[in-house]
Amino acid sequence: MEHRIITVSREWASGGHTVAELTAKELGIPCYDTQIIQETAKRTGLSEDLVKEAEQRMTGSFLYNLVMSVNSERNYIEQIYKSEKDIVIEKAAEGPCVIVGRGADFVVAEKLPTLRAFVYSNMKRRIRHAVENYGIDETKAQKEIIRMDKERSIHMKTFTGLNWGDRINYDIMLNAGFLGEEECARILVQAYKDLDGKA
């Protein structure tokens, strides 16, 4: 039987990263997130800061440059995407794991059995999460949340053709603002075990 992968897509400041880490810890499997950034930086020769920045630069200007074949941004962003895609596939092939973001739900599901989760929350709780965890001023938090969601949506559409956050693209939707991160992880762990038992 092929092993199963968990992918966790998430709204920014929803607590999705924590849900992924708790899930992996409970199952005793690796969780890949920032490690993908580090490995991408090594493979491309770009700095980790540039890789992080590129992940969040799926803006209208980038799409314009892509269409018009303007290469200044296009080259390194596409290079980073390709490297991250390769790393995600390699990590998934090694064995069961949790992969956070980076279109893994699309990339991995084509090759291996995958449980695709999407973690979301309401704006009030996301603002509080951003203030408490990212050191962002409350007055700027909502704007940052809206900006990050837009960029993740553009990134997903650009490289996969799918609509980010659309329930049709996921197997389970988890409201971390309502349930809490630990309960979301518990549900995800149980779903994984149930599916594993049926496979």
Side-chain angles (χ1 to χ4, degrees), residues 6-164:
I6 299 175
T7 61
V8 178
S9 296
R10 72 281 183 231
E11 291 181 335
W12 191 75
S14 65
H17 176 82
T18 302
V19 171
E21 285 191 326
L22 290 171
T23 299
K25 183 178 180 181
E26 178 63 26
L27 290 170
I29 59 179
C31 179
Y32 299 114
D33 188 0
T34 56
Q35 300 93 328
I36 297 173
I37 293 174
Q38 294 163 358
E39 183 64 28
T40 297
K42 289 179 183 177
R43 293 191 185 190
T44 60
L46 301 169
S47 70
E48 289 184 24
D49 287 341
L50 184 57
V51 174
K52 289 177 188 176
E53 181 185 355
E55 287 188 339
Q56 310 302 335
R57 291 198 62 190
M58 297 295 105
T59 61
S61 63
F62 168 71
L63 293 181
Y64 175 80
N65 285 348
L66 194 64
V67 171
M68 299 301 291
S69 296
V70 177
N71 293 324
S72 58
E73 283 188 346
R74 177 180 179 178
N75 282 345
Y76 78 78
I77 291 179
E78 288 186 329
Q79 182 184 5
I80 288 168
Y81 173 74
K82 183 181 183 305
S83 178
E84 288 191 337
K85 180 179 178 181
D86 290 344
I87 292 165
V88 164
I89 291 170
E90 290 168 14
K91 296 298 185 187
E94 289 173 2
C97 62
V98 179
I99 303 175
V100 181
R102 294 168 186 87
D105 41 7
F106 171 79
V107 172
V108 177
E110 289 186 324
K111 301 180 179 298
L112 289 167
T114 306
L115 175 57
R116 303 164 301 166
F118 187 86
V119 179
Y120 65 100
S121 186
N122 63 63
M123 182 60 74
K124 183 177 179 180
R125 289 179 182 271
R126 292 174 72 188
I127 290 172
R128 187 173 69 190
H129 185 95
V131 171
E132 293 175 354
N133 293 275
Y134 307 142
I136 296 177
D137 185 89
E138 188 171 345
T139 58
K140 297 179 181 178
Q142 183 167 345
K143 289 183 179 179
E144 186 68 5
I145 287 167
I146 292 170
R147 182 184 72 83
M148 292 290 284
D149 282 355
K150 181 179 179 181
E151 291 177 355
R152 286 183 178 179
S153 179
I154 292 172
H155 184 281
M156 187 74 166
K157 192 70 173 179
T158 301
F159 290 111
T160 71
L162 301 178
N163 294 319
W164 178 79

